[in-house]
Amino acid sequence: AQSVTQPDIHITVSEGASLELRCNYSYGATPYLFWYVQSPGQGLQLLLKYFSGDTLVQGIKGFEAEFKRSQSSFNLRKPSVHWSDAAEYFCAVGANSNYQLIWGAGTKLIIKP
Amino acid sequence: KAGVTQTPRYLIKTRGQQVTLSCSPISGHRSVSWYQQTPGQGLQFLFEYFSETQRNKGNFPGRFSGRQFSNSRSEMNVSTLELGDSALYLCASSEQGGETQYFGPGTRLLVL
């Protein structure tokens, strides 16, 4: 079955520290991979996406993610977090042969001052 | 291009009433997906429309329905509202459906 797992429900990091949010997927076809961010009470904003090519993709707000096919992972990273990065982050998987995205449960990022 | 718009942004209803939410996709996008988001259940897929046809449906009761018009605008309707229907309802549009989705700000529904 197709699924996306974000193993961390909450993550707390200090401002200025590095961040890695994990995403693992189970998908039969070659996937499209996405990371979205949601601030409280808002819609979801696309951070970055991977369709093909270079497995390290750069996104907005200084985020990057690396696709590792052998590990079925698409982890999100940022070298130095800012208080404004506090939000919920969602990983999603799709495919050209499907018409909907499969979503992870989300990881809530808390920033310590 | 203008982004995805949803109206209304906030809504208060009482149990047993019905509600209609509207979504206008990005110009040129033919696929519209609807999601329900609650603190306990996370982001749950309701249904997806493409060219006025429902292509995918999530695991929700028949009280939840939708439609799409020829201009790709979409509405979702919830009849006989229950307290548990209180949620943020998100609409997302994309060109064909399985690729990048762009989200609206959501409609927050409170059922009393």
Side-chain angles (χ1 to χ4, degrees):
Chain A
Q2 301 164 349
S3 66
V4 177
T5 302
Q6 293 180 247
D8 303 304
I9 298 174
H10 297 97
I11 278 191
T12 302
V13 299
S14 298
E15 190 170 15
S18 64
L19 170 71
E20 182 168 31
L21 301 182
R22 294 182 290 163
C23 173
N24 293 94
Y25 66 90
S26 172
Y27 205 80
T30 301
Y32 299 157
L33 296 157
F34 307 86
W35 275 100
Y36 286 81
V37 61
Q38 184 181 32
S39 297
Q42 303 298 314
L44 279 70
Q45 180 184 21
L46 179 69
L47 276 176
L48 48 78
K49 60 187 177 184
Y50 171 80
F51 282 8
S52 65
D54 192 347
T55 56
L56 183 64
V57 293
Q58 303 296 321
I60 62 171
K61 305 186 181 189
F63 285 92
E64 67 177 27
E66 186 171 12
F67 170 51
K68 293 185 177 180
R69 186 186 300 275
S70 61
Q71 298 177 20
S72 297
S73 70
F74 188 57
N75 294 349
L76 182 71
R77 301 193 294 248
K78 186 170 184 177
S80 176
V81 297
H82 186 261
W83 65 265
S84 59
D85 293 324
E88 191 157 18
Y89 293 80
F90 292 90
C91 178
V93 174
N96 198 35
S97 57
N98 198 1
Y99 303 126
Q100 65 183 83
L101 301 185
I102 309 300
W103 292 87
T107 297
K108 187 163 288 187
L109 175 63
I110 301 164
I111 308 294
K112 285 193 301 186
Chain B
K1 280 186 183 178
V4 178
T5 58
Q6 291 186 246
T7 56
R9 292 293 312 278
Y10 303 94
L11 209 46
I12 300 175
K13 293 285 188 180
T14 56
R15 279 181 299 173
Q17 287 187 309
Q18 74 165 20
V19 66
T20 299
L21 312 181
S22 180
C23 172
S24 293
I26 291 171
S27 177
H29 286 191
R30 296 164 67 189
S31 170
V32 173
S33 298
W34 287 90
Y35 297 87
Q36 182 195 66
Q37 188 177 34
T38 58
Q41 299 296 319
L43 196 63
Q44 292 189 286
F45 173 74
L46 280 156
F47 29 66
E48 185 252 357
Y49 286 86
F50 181 83
S51 292
E52 302 179 66
T53 300
Q54 186 182 90
R55 285 196 304 195
N56 282 295
K57 189 177 188 304
N59 190 26
F60 276 81
R63 300 186 297 108
F64 292 82
S65 63
R67 59 178 175 168
Q68 187 179 35
F69 302 95
S70 58
N71 62 358
S72 294
R73 190 177 70 85
S74 177
E75 289 181 347
M76 68 162 282
N77 185 77
V78 188
S79 62
T80 319
L81 283 165
E82 301 176 359
L83 295 179
D85 297 333
S86 294
L88 181 66
Y89 290 88
L90 293 164
C91 162
S93 78
S94 63
E95 291 183 11
Q96 299 292 330
E99 67 314 25
T100 308
Q101 292 189 357
Y102 297 90
F103 282 79
T107 294
R108 184 162 296 280
L109 172 65
L110 177 62
V111 182
L112 301 175

